[in-house]
Structures are given as structure tokens and as C-alpha cells.
Amino acid sequence: MSTSRPAGVWLIGARGSVATTVVAGCAAMSAGLHPPTGLLTETTLFADCGLPGLSSLVFGGHDTLDCPLPKRAEELAAGGVLPHGLPAAVAAELTAADAEIVPGGPLPHDDRDEEELIEAFASDIRDFTARRAPAGTVVVNVASTEPAADGDTLPPSSLYAAAALRAGCPYVNFTPSTGLHHPSLAAPLARSGLPYAGRDGKTGQTLLRSVLGPMFTQRALAVRAWSGTNLLGGGDGAALADPAAAAAKNAGKERVLTDTLGTPVQGEVHIDDVPALGDWKTAWDHIAFDGFLGTRMVLQTIWQGCDSALAAPLVLDLARLMLRAREAGMSGAVGELGFYFKDPVGEGAAGLGEQYAALGDLAARLRVGEAR
Amino acid sequence: MSTSRPAGVWLIGARGSVATTVVAGCAAMSAGLHPPTGLLTETTLFADCGLPGLSSLVFGGHDTLDCPLPKRAEELAAGGVLPHGLPAAVAAELTAADAEIVPGGPLPHDDRDEEELIEAFASDIRDFTARRAPAGTVVVNVASTEPAADGDTLPPSSLYAAAALRAGCPYVNFTPSTGLHHPSLAAPLARSGLPYAGRDGKTGQTLLRSVLGPMFTQRALAVRAWSGTNLLGGGDGAALADPAAAAAKNAGKERVLTDTLGTPVQGEVHIDDVPALGDWKTAWDHIAFDGFLGTRMVLQTIWQGCDSALAAPLVLDLARLMLRAREAGMSGAVGELGFYFKDPVGEGAAGLGEQYAALGDLAARLRVGEAR
Amino acid sequence: MSTSRPAGVWLIGARGSVATTVVAGCAAMSAGLHPPTGLLTETTLFADCGLPGLSSLVFGGHDTLDCPLPKRAEELAAGGVLPHGLPAAVAAELTAADAEIVPGGPLPHDDRDEEELIEAFASDIRDFTARRAPAGTVVVNVASTEPAADGDTLPPSSLYAAAALRAGCPYVNFTPSTGLHHPSLAAPLARSGLPYAGRDGKTGQTLLRSVLGPMFTQRALAVRAWSGTNLLGGGDGAALADPAAAAAKNAGKERVLTDTLGTPVQGEVHIDDVPALGDWKTAWDHIAFDGFLGTRMVLQTIWQGCDSALAAPLVLDLARLMLRAREAGMSGAVGELGFYFKDPVGEGAAGLGEQYAALGDLAARLRVGEAR
Amino acid sequence: MSTSRPAGVWLIGARGSVATTVVAGCAAMSAGLHPPTGLLTETTLFADCGLPGLSSLVFGGHDTLDCPLPKRAEELAAGGVLPHGLPAAVAAELTAADAEIVPGGPLPHDDRDEEELIEAFASDIRDFTARRAPAGTVVVNVASTEPAADGDTLPPSSLYAAAALRAGCPYVNFTPSTGLHHPSLAAPLARSGLPYAGRDGKTGQTLLRSVLGPMFTQRALAVRAWSGTNLLGGGDGAALADPAAAAAKNAGKERVLTDTLGTPVQGEVHIDDVPALGDWKTAWDHIAFDGFLGTRMVLQTIWQGCDSALAAPLVLDLARLMLRAREAGMSGAVGELGFYFKDPVGEGAAGLGEQYAALGDLAARLRVGEAR
């Protein structure tokens, strides 16, 4: 891929914390204001893979809110999520992205049916691509988690996913929402020949679980119970206070444990909305395990991070890799991207080390694709 | 290897907590009283590798103390390290091992010179092997950490290591003590053609570090400081209260960080002797790292375990693997055993995942060896 | 009070972990096998207050289960709650108490009405007192937490409380269950002239909260959110997995925060049933607070204890104090005992320091009572 | 005291983090930009005590560095210690204080003797008081901890303390440095009739210990070991990396434990310099204690705070209280201020609750003093 021809990143939830951090951060790195901490696509792992350059990315998206991106960035800086001074330093890029964010849906009192909504969204994406992104566009869902889908109705995340297919764009589901996982999208997905990836970005507690789980297994230690509590504020905390949304989130966390430990274990996971914490998150895990002769031991972990800052570099990595994967002719579930997800699509290992190795395989495929 | 012909395990520090747990635990598993939690040599990883069976192992060793093994086992049970009832259930095996423990040295007022000590120790090992261990003997150092060696004098751990070479036994250094790493032993080691492994069993805090370090590296997160405190009682706590002994211990811990992170980081490691904790250990780690755009985040871990129970299955694994390695004709540093050590001899990765993969390579070599 | 005339302690839930620990521990201390750790009634605070001696206490009670007390004690010892060897050492006392435990109710298919049940229970207590406890009997509820009462029906805890009144016994509610707090018991309670105390023993997380809450208030630091998770197994964990029972429990925990901080704060409390932990409990608290100029700070606490061992000395203290209070002619809510409870009856401060001072006031009253 | 006549606060270490936070914070509260979080002198406890108003305080001091205060404030804002925007909002007050900071000493190549240095410092203070502080000046030592004094030579902290006496000013030692505690200052101190307070502000880990220690004692639980590690960067971290300075600091921490527990306990305290943490501090405490029948339990606490933000409100409280104490005619050690210190001068309890009560006694004395 020519690494300098503009490529589009279309964000579902484009005015949220993650999206704002993605846009501001990409601009900050392009301008040399910050090193690319957290981006694997800037490490030697993906050297010579023909990925689109950071400075070639252009942003747009859907959102149902209308707070301007520069204002959102100021709010994030006040909360310590973005460095002070950064919103001013990248004001031009924030304004440019803001101009490409269009209303999503369905809005209250929206009388468009599913087909009309999908077509409207697809049209938005096609228009953006035609004007701004000659190298193509990737669609990434970074909206708040929605409750589990119910019956035949397509939930909003699936409307957007369908629009991505129709607009011919690779699709990444960074949330546990339904997205492409709706039965009615199986056929159009297969026909599209597009690559896709997901679900649910692995940012904090589950990241840890994906390295600690294998540790216990590799040491033949018997985990008896794995319990966890997450405290978070921000929009995510409020969204996950909805038990249905939390259930969708937790399924991914538990899958990681079951897959790496080889068996289900006791223990619950709580997600608490604590508005006082803002965009910061604290996750406590308590792991009771048996050692030699049944000796009872305990490992506890406390992870204190900022979810937007953890998610943003992964989103940029995924956008670049999927743009390149599309160019290289890949289609279907990109299983090698399990490293990035709690509940990965496609085949692949659950331990982080093996998932990292799979990224190397992907890099090799992309290099070959380049050679074509 | 015939898996039932008696094979010897000669323990340096044979009356210590680790050795006592090894002997009692091996007997308990052989009798079917406990599952082999913590032993990789009982997992499918080493299936068909021809390892000596647990019930074929016979124990002996050197120690400078004279507390009978059954009594040590009762003390450990009182402290919760061994299950209650176990010392009585395996009294016969404890007594048998006790009968094979001979005085080590140098003792106070010992007027034997280095050569005499080495020869005496080698003779002890040869005698044990001739009487009890037709399939050969492995020597494992599980004595308390000794202060760093000083000048030309051979420290006790090196006297025992030299004796192992002279008796034709593979050698495992489960401690950070000097052992075979003395310049004067380089030539006899090379001549011996024996396999050896070490140093310093990776039981708790460093085990965690060897999975968390790679996680940060693989996620391109910038670790800024890694600090740790270990609280432990028992003999180990007292031994490590000696700053020289602690220095030897800490070197291994820091090597894991530097190797997995690719760069040295700020932060100290403390080892405190807290007699009230007995054989139980608590390790707190505080890891300050930078995420995207320099956002400051923190991971803390608290590990509460029993060192003897963590060490014993590793000792049994190593003993069995080295006995088989010797039989299969391997010689020199067995680098594939880095999984078990803080500061591994030979070449090898520092991350636990890759070290686990290396064990698979070793298993393959042992299977081939069997085929001969 | 003559400190040696036998006094009765009638336990509701007499075969549970707490009750078993109370009986075994009282015998162990009477025999001089263990120091009276955790008992304030053995400190100078209550010197010369005329409390019944530990060796003068005799035990009985109601339970709906029928596991013999010596067997329960063995189970607790196997789980590390009681010292190994203790069940055997106090077998006689356990057997004696076991003989005084009678079936409670209502049992399945019980066709006795409320009045019949109360009368039956009161008759059990009167009979025990007449035979065994010339110095009188105190009734203490240490049964599992029951769901909040519903409508006019008396829940079991209230049937037992009514029986205590009818038998003329002081009553202590060590649980959050309804007990005497049922509207229909207000009049008989007032008529009885008996002293009573409760509710819900303050054993772990709430104990901590009652010293940390005042710290923040006294330092004029602004607590913004106080979140907590409790992991526990045993019968208590299972009982509290019932949301209605947990709700009753949590009300007390939150009252402590509101009372000591002066205002409600954000944050939830979770109680998870983790059978693997047995009778051991881990409580994690996360307190987000603002310092000077709004600086955001965090305190986290992790409490690892054994609930039965935390509760038992408080139960013994309360039994002795209430027996003496009855003798000294006290009646109504004994507000000076707030030190022991999450949700104290009567007037009193919420901070532990002031509650400790109130115990001193009670000691003074009891000394005067003695002087009569 | 007229609460509006200007009163002086002379800070030793006037360009440090604590001093800068004091000056900026006082201005911010006076301007109504922030509520007085952390100040007891703004609570009802000290109502009607005639304390000098926050807006009446004027600042000056000694320092051996020369970084301008507005620049120091910007640095602190960049590190998250001061709110962004605050340095600009209170630039005038920072500049005014900056103009009253004069060089301290002894400087390198300083050839003044002790008497000359004391006289020079006293003259600086008198001059400031005459020009700016008609209601008098209090001297507060907030400089970095100095190593323990050696022999007869007066350490710098004692030179400043002597100067405070000579200038007729009450003195507060907010550090563990020697200050007035030098034998040669005993006589001039007694003659001065001035009130003084100290030593070593109780800001974080020790604050916690002063509430947790009494909790264990009041519950008759047996603490077996209390271990702790402090990680901190900033100037304080570097200063305390000097073992002699750390020793001075730790003595105060241990005194709190011994005083509240009634007996020395096992366990060490580490203070690590971790520059990556800047002005933020993390303190981990591990408390092993015995419950009923010797059951082993553990409490761990993790305190994450900003030392300057914890110290500044205490410094403002102490300055105001000591200015008023001087006016009210108090002299000698003000033992009622033990609430604020790790190692309080004068008589007083070690538990925080009793220390808080003592502040109430002081308030009563100050009200009486007002009435004169």
C-alpha cells in the first residue's frame, strides 16, 4: 500500500472518549509531539508490511450526540486523559474530523425502517470515502456497549455493520455489541469478501487475565476461583450499569478464563459505575489457587488505567491492519488479530503469548500481499 | 529409561523445608493421596519421555543440621505447609530418606581442606548410588542462599557441585548460590560431559514478572518503574536478611525484568525477614507504566504463597528431567529448562510463554533419546 | 455477679461455624490452651465488673441441622478455622453443648402456628436454664442471615426473639435479621424490662470502615466514592448469595459510612459466594477521595480473615456483658455496645474510637450495679 | 486576633513543593476558586477561635535554590499536583511571595559562623515582619529532611529554629530534622516563652497507622508484624534515599506503632526513591495479626496520594493555630497538636481519635484566650 495516500477511518461513536483520543493521538504522533507508545504497528513487528502511515489517516464517523470534538478533547484533558495543551496543539485535526461526523441513528422519533437506515449510513460512508479517502475506508465500532440483541430486530451496531458491508469497507467491532454477529448478516458478509475483526477490545483486566491464565496452566497450578471487580466512571461506566450491557461484556471476560484455564472456575465479575472516577478505571482481581499438595495460595492484581488511552492505540493498530488486509485481498474473519480482543472471531489461541506470535504470522501474510 | 528402576535424588540442604516437602510430597503422590498439582512432568507435555516414575525415586542428601525429617515434616504441617495427617501417612518414606542424610560441611572446626571435603561428599553420593539408585543419581542444591563467593575459596555450594561432578551425577542449582559457577570448576565441568541446570528456582514474584514483563513489551507499553517488596519468614527469610545473600537473590529478579523489558527500569526489590510469617511469603509489586500519549498507569500485584510448596514440584520435575537427560546422553547447560529458573544457564528466552515452548523442545529431544 | 455460678448462653444457629467456634474457644481458654485474643472482657477495661467467668458459661441452643458439634469442629479444624488438635482437646465440652442443642423451626411440614412455635422455643430455653444455668441465660442469634421480613408474618429470627422475651432472657442479635425489630414485638419487649443489643456483628470490612470513615472526616478530606467487594465461602457466602439477605447485610455497612462521613457517597458493596474460600473471607475496599485543591487520591484496603474467628470473641463478650447487664438491672437497648455492631440499637456514635469510649461508660455502670 | 490584620508565614524551604502548594492554595481559597478541603481551621471545630483569616496571610521564607515560585507552580501543575490553570490564576500572589524569599544557608563556600548565620536569618525574619506582618510571623520548616545531626555542630534546621526564637516567632517543625531539638537550644527556647510544635507532618502512611493501630488494640487483636514500603519521587524521594535521612523519618513512623500497639512489633519500613512517580507517593502496608485462638489474618493497605497536597493544608492549619496561640499567650510545646505529627512534642495520645479530641481542647483554650 502506498503509505501516504489518504485512508479513511470511520468511527461508530465518533464523539466518544475513545474516538476523541484516537483522533487527537493520531495527530499528536504525526506531528512528533508524542512517541507511539502502545502501537504495535509502529514496532519492528510490522516493518515493511505496507501499512498506511499515521499521517495519511483521515477520520469521520457517526454519532447520535453533537458535542464538538475540540470540546470533548478539552473535557478529556481536564480529566487527565489527554495531556494538557494537546487539544490546542491539534485543534485543526480535531476540527477537520468533527466536520466529517454525521448523525447516526436510529434517532428518537426516527421513522426510517432498517433498510433505509442501512442505506443512509452506507451512503454517508461512501460519500466520505469518495471525497477524502482514495485508499479506502475501514469502519470501527467504538460506541458504548449496547444491550444484547433481542429477536429479529437489528440492533444499531448491526445496522452500522451492515452499512459497512454495503459500502465495501472492512469492519472492526471494538465492543461486545452484536455488529456483524446477527444471523441476518451472515449471507451478505459471506458475499462481500471483506475482512472483519472483533469483538471487544482487550484493554485492561482481560489483558492481564490472558497472560495470568496461561501462567497457571503452564505451571500446572489449579485455579479454584477467579473473582473480579471493575470500577469505572465516564460514559462506559453508565452504559455498563445496565445489567444487559454488562452481561454482554462479562461473557468475553469469562471466555478468556475458560479458554486459558481449560475449565470454568468459580467467581463473579462486577462492573460498577463510579462517576467520581471519570474515565479512569480500577480493576481488582482475586485468584485463589491450589499449589502442591493442595496448599492454598492467592494472587491479587490491581490495575489502574485510563480506558480511552488503553483503547486508542489498539484502534489505530486495527484500523491500519484492516485497511492493509483489505488491500492485500484478505477476506473473512482475521483470526490472527485475537491479540486485540476479549472474544476473538475466527480460530486462535487464548493466551497472549501465542496471540502475539499470530500477529507475526499476519505480518508475514501482509508482506507477501505487498509483494504481489 | 525404565521408569521403575530406583533413581536417586541427592539433596543439598536435605533437612530444609523444600527438601522435606519434596520427600513427603513424592511419597504422598506415589500413594495416590494427592494429585500431582504443580508437576509438569505429570502432564501430557512430557508423556512418553521415559522419565523415572515418582515411585521409583529414592532420596538422600547432605545437611549440617540434624533435626530428623519426620520431625521437620510435623513442624511444616503445624505451619500449614504440609497437610495435616500427611507426616504420619508417609512416615516410612520420611524415615527412609532420613537414614540417607549425612553430615555436610565444612562444619565448625572442620580441618579438612577443599579437596578432602569434595572427596568426602563425592564418596557419600557414590555410596548412596551404589546401594540405592541403580538408575543413577541427580544432585540438587536446595540449601539456603549463601553470600556471594569471595576470592578463590570455594564456597560450600561449589564444594558440593564439585562432588556431584566427581560422582558422575547431573547437577541442578535451585538457589542463586555459586555452585558450578566458580571459575575453578569450569574445566572439570567441561570434562565431565554431564548435563546441568540452574540457577535459582522461579517460584513466585519472578514467575509473575516473567509473564507480566512480556505483556508490557508485547503491548508496546513503556514501563517506567518496577518496585517490589518480599516478606517471608522461615529459614529463607533469615538467610536473605544477610545483604550479601539478598544481593545474589535480587540479581536474578532484575535480570528477568531487564531481559523481558529490553531495558533496565527504575525500582528496587526488598526482601524482609518477617519470622511471624513462617514459611509463607507475600510479594508486592508496583509497576508504573506509560500508556498512549504518556498517560500514567499502574499495575500492582500481591502474591501470597508458600515457598516450599511452590518449589517442591519444580524440584521433582527437574530431578526427573535431569536423570532422563543424563541417560539420553545430554551434556552441558540444559538451556531448555529456563522455565524453572530466575537466572537460567545456557541460551533461552526470558518470557514464560517462550520458555514453556522450549520445554516442548526438550520433551521432543528426550523422546528421541528414548528411541535410541 | 458471682463469677463462678453457671450462666447459660443459648445460641440460635447452634451448629453453625460461629457457634462451634464459640463453644470450642471458650473451653480452650478456660483450660488455658489459648490466650483470650480478641476478647475485651478479658482486658482491664472490664476489670471488676463482675462478669461471669469463662469457665462458668454453659452452652445450648436451637438449630435446624443435626450435624454433631464435635464433627463440625473437626470440619472447621480441617479448614484452618480452629487449631488442629483443638477439637480433640475440648471434645468433652463440645459433646456437652451438643447434648443441649434442640431442633429449631419452623421445620418443613411444620404445622405449629407462631404462638405454638414461640412457646415451644421458650420452653426449651426455660428448661435449659432450670437445669444448667442458675445464674440465668442470654440468647444470642448467630444463625445465617435471613431475607428481609415480609408483611405481618414473624420471620424465624423473630420467633426466637419472642421466645427469649417470654423466657425472661436478655437477647443479642449478632445478625442483620429482624429479631426483635418486628412491630408486633415492640409491646412485649417494652413490658419485659429486659436488656437487648444488636444488630449485625462488626467483624471485618465494616470494622475497618468505622475507623477509616472518621479519619477522612477528621482530616476534612472529601470522600467521593467508597466501593467494596467481599468474597466468602462457607454457609455465610451461600446465604448472602440470596439478594434479599445481602440487601439486609449491606444496609448496615452503608449506614456506617453515611454516619461517619456525614453524607452518602457513591459506590456499591458486593458479597460473592466463593465456596473455594471456605470460612475465609477477603474484603477489598476502594476509597476515592479529594485532597487539597481537589487532588484525587485513593486508599485501598484488603482484609483477609476468618469470619468465625472474628465473630466468636465478640459473641463471648456480648454474652457475658448482657448476662451481667441483666443482673445489674439494666433494661432496653444497650446503646453502649455499638462497638460490636454494624447497625447498633440505641443512641451512640458511629466511629470506633467513640464506641470504645462508650464501652468504658458501660463498664462504669456495671461496676456501680455490682456495688448495689 | 483580628482576623484581617496581615500575619506572616515564613517558610524554611520556601521554593519546595510543599511551600509552593501552600502559597498557591491559600491564594486559591482566598479567591474562592477552591473549597478548603483538608483544612480543619475552616471547620466548625475552630469556629470563633480568632484565627487569622486565610486572606490575611502573607508569605516569605528562606531557600538555597532560586527557581521562581511561579515557575515551580507550573512544574507542579504539569505533574498533576496543582490544578491546571491555577498557577496563572494566582500569579500575583506567587510573585508577591517570591519577592519575599531570601537566600538561606549555609551556602557552599559560606564563611559565616553559626552566630552570624543565625543573626542573618533572624534579621531576614524581623525585616519581613516589620514590613509585611503587623500581626506577627510564624516560622515553619518545610525543607527536605536532613541527615541526623552529628556532634555539637548545629545542623541547618537548628540554625533556622534559633533564628525564629531570636526573632520572637512561634516555630513549627513539619519535618523530622533536628530544629529546636538540639541541646544548645534548650535554654534559649525556655527563655523565649514562645510556643512551638512538631515534629514531622503526619500525611499518609503514618496517618493510617494512627487509626489502624488503635483499632487492633481496642479489639484485643495481636499484631505480629507490620511491614511497609513507600515509593516516592520528587525532591523528597531523593532526600530520603540518603539512609541517614530515612532513618530520621522512620523513627517517627515506628513510634506511632509502638505507642498505639503498646509493644514493638516485627517489620521494616522502606522508603524508595522512584523518580518516575514525581510528587506522587504510594505506600503499601502489610499487617499480620492473630485473631481468636491464634488464627492468622492479614490486613493490607495501599495509599496513593500526593504528598504536597496532603501536607499543605496541615501547614496552613498549623501556621494559623500557632499565630493565634502566640497571641493568646501560650508558650512551650503545644502538645494538643499531636494530630498533625508523626512524633509529637509534648504530652499526648498516639491514636488519631484522641488526638482529634485534643484539638477540641486547644480550640477551647484559644476561645478563652480571645476572651481576655
Side-chain angles (χ1 to χ4, degrees), chain B residues 224 229 266 270 272 275-276, chain D residues 224 229 266 270 272 275-276 296:
Chain B
R224 303 164 79 235
T229 295
Q266 292 175 18
H270 304 286
D272 290 7
Chain D
R224 304 165 78 235
T229 295
Q266 292 175 18
H270 304 285
D272 289 6
R296 297 189 173 193

Side-chain angles (χ1 to χ4, degrees), chain B residues 38-337:
Chain B
L39 271 81
L40 274 75
T41 48
E42 293 290 308
T43 68
T44 54
L45 182 68
F46 289 108
D48 304 320
C49 284
L51 305 185
L54 285 171
S55 59
S56 73
L57 299 182
V58 292
F59 298 91
H62 283 113
D63 206 316
T64 53
L65 305 175
D66 57 7
C67 177
L69 227 49
K71 182 150 179 288
R72 283 292 290 129
E74 286 295 349
E75 290 168 5
L76 291 173
V81 180
L82 293 180
H84 280 275
L86 185 62
V90 299
E93 290 86 347
L94 289 166
T95 302
D98 192 70
E100 296 291 355
I101 303 177
V102 294
L107 300 165
H109 314 297
D110 206 325
D111 52 8
R112 293 175 288 180
D113 65 18
E114 290 184 351
E115 171 55 28
E116 289 168 318
L117 286 163
I118 294 171
E119 186 50 36
F121 298 158
S123 169
D124 292 335
I125 300 170
R126 278 192 215 105
D127 172 62
F128 168 77
T129 305
R131 287 185 294 105
R132 304 286 316 279
T137 292
V138 61
V139 174
V140 187
N141 180 15
V142 291
S144 288
T145 299
E146 68 192 12
D150 189 21
D152 290 340
T153 311
L154 285 178
S157 66
S158 296
L159 298 174
Y160 291 116
L165 294 185
R166 195 170 294 185
C169 297
Y171 173 83
V172 177
N173 192 352
F174 203 74
T175 79
S177 300
T178 306
L180 287 174
H181 279 57
H182 194 278
S184 73
L185 298 183
L189 172 60
R191 275 198 306 272
S192 74
L194 290 164
Y196 66 95
R199 290 198 293 183
D200 204 4
K202 185 160 65 186
T203 51
Q205 188 182 50
T206 311
L207 173 64
L208 261 180
R209 290 179 163 200
S210 71
V211 298
L212 295 176
M215 178 188 79
F216 289 107
T217 304
Q218 290 173 355
R219 275 290 170 111
L221 298 167
V223 172
R224 303 164 79 235
W226 199 312
S227 308
T229 295
N230 293 268
L231 311 179
L232 67 164
D236 227 25
L240 294 168
D242 174 343
K249 193 89 182 176
N250 283 342
K253 287 175 185 278
E254 277 164 26
R255 181 173 154 183
V256 169
L257 285 192
T258 305
D259 286 357
T260 59
L261 298 175
T263 173
V265 294
Q266 292 175 18
E268 300 173 42
V269 173
H270 304 286
I271 304 182
D272 290 7
D273 180 30
V274 183
L277 297 184
D279 278 285
W280 292 81
K281 183 162 98 174
T282 296
W284 171 68
D285 261 22
H286 178 282
I287 308 148
F289 63 100
D290 274 358
F292 194 54
L293 306 176
T295 319
R296 296 187 174 193
M297 314 197 194
V298 174
L299 170 64
Q300 295 175 80
T301 62
I302 299 173
W303 173 273
Q304 295 167 302
C306 170
D307 240 27
S308 304
L310 288 160
L314 309 185
V315 169
L316 284 167
D317 271 359
L318 287 163
R320 299 169 83 185
L321 290 167
M322 292 297 283
L323 282 163
R324 176 70 185 104
R326 169 85 170 106
E327 187 196 42
M330 292 172 61
S331 80
V334 185
E336 293 97 332
L337 293 172

Side-chain angles (χ1 to χ4, degrees), chain A residues 11 13-24 59-60 63 66-76 82 87 91 93-101:
Chain A
L11 300 162
R15 299 191 187 285
S17 298
V18 173
T20 307
T21 306
V22 164
V23 173
F59 297 90
D63 207 315
D66 57 8
C67 176
L69 226 49
K71 183 150 178 290
R72 284 291 290 127
E74 286 295 349
E75 289 169 5
L76 291 173
L82 294 180
E93 289 85 349
L94 289 166
T95 302
D98 192 71
E100 297 290 355
I101 303 176

Side-chain angles (χ1 to χ4, degrees), chain A residues 15-367:
Chain A
R15 299 191 187 285
S17 298
V18 173
T20 307
T21 306
V22 164
V23 173
C26 186
M29 291 184 293
S30 296
L33 301 176
H34 284 276
T37 307
L39 272 81
L40 275 74
T41 49
E42 293 289 307
T43 67
T44 54
L45 183 67
F46 288 109
D48 305 319
C49 284
L51 304 184
L54 286 171
S55 60
S56 74
L57 299 181
V58 292
F59 297 90
H62 284 112
D63 207 315
T64 53
L65 306 176
D66 57 8
C67 176
L69 226 49
K71 183 150 178 290
R72 284 291 290 127
E74 286 295 349
E75 289 169 5
L76 291 173
V81 180
L82 294 180
H84 281 275
L86 185 63
V90 300
E93 289 85 349
L94 289 166
T95 302
D98 192 71
E100 297 290 355
I101 303 176
V102 295
L107 300 165
H109 313 300
D110 206 325
D111 53 9
R112 295 175 288 181
D113 65 18
E114 288 184 354
E115 169 57 25
E116 288 167 319
L117 286 163
I118 294 171
E119 185 52 34
F121 298 158
S123 170
D124 292 335
I125 300 169
R126 279 193 215 102
D127 172 62
F128 168 77
T129 306
R131 286 185 296 102
R132 302 289 313 280
T137 291
V138 60
V139 174
V140 187
N141 180 16
V142 291
S144 287
T145 298
E146 69 192 11
D150 188 21
D152 290 341
T153 310
L154 287 178
S157 67
S158 296
L159 298 174
Y160 292 117
L165 294 184
R166 193 170 296 186
C169 296
Y171 173 83
V172 178
N173 192 354
F174 203 76
T175 78
S177 301
T178 307
L180 288 173
H181 279 57
H182 194 279
S184 72
L185 297 185
L189 173 59
R191 277 196 306 272
S192 75
L194 290 164
Y196 65 95
R199 287 198 295 183
D200 206 3
K202 185 160 66 187
T203 51
Q205 189 182 50
T206 311
L207 173 63
L208 261 180
R209 291 178 163 203
S210 70
V211 298
L212 295 176
M215 179 189 78
F216 289 107
T217 304
Q218 290 172 355
R219 276 289 171 110
L221 298 167
V223 172
R224 303 166 79 235
W226 199 312
S227 308
T229 295
N230 293 268
L231 311 178
L232 68 163
D236 227 25
L240 294 169
D242 175 344
K249 194 89 182 176
N250 283 342
K253 286 175 186 280
E254 278 165 26
R255 182 174 153 182
V256 170
L257 284 192
T258 305
D259 286 358
T260 60
L261 298 176
T263 173
V265 293
Q266 292 175 17
E268 300 174 41
V269 173
H270 304 286
I271 304 183
D272 290 7
D273 181 29
V274 184
L277 296 184
D279 279 285
W280 292 81
K281 184 162 98 174
T282 296
W284 170 68
D285 261 22
H286 179 282
I287 308 149
F289 65 100
D290 273 0
F292 194 56
L293 306 177
T295 320
R296 297 189 173 192
M297 315 197 192
V298 174
L299 171 64
Q300 295 176 79
T301 62
I302 299 173
W303 172 274
Q304 295 168 302
C306 170
D307 240 26
S308 304
L310 287 161
L314 308 186
V315 169
L316 285 167
D317 270 359
L318 287 164
R320 298 170 82 187
L321 290 167
M322 292 297 282
L323 283 163
R324 176 72 186 102
R326 167 84 170 108
E327 188 197 43
M330 293 173 60
S331 80
V334 185
E336 293 98 331
L337 293 172
F339 181 83
Y340 292 100
F341 297 108
K342 289 194 187 71
D343 188 12
V345 298
E347 296 296 308
L352 194 75
E354 289 154 294
Q355 292 176 331
Y356 183 77
L359 286 184
D361 299 340
L362 176 62
R365 283 175 70 184
L366 295 179
R367 280 191 204 100

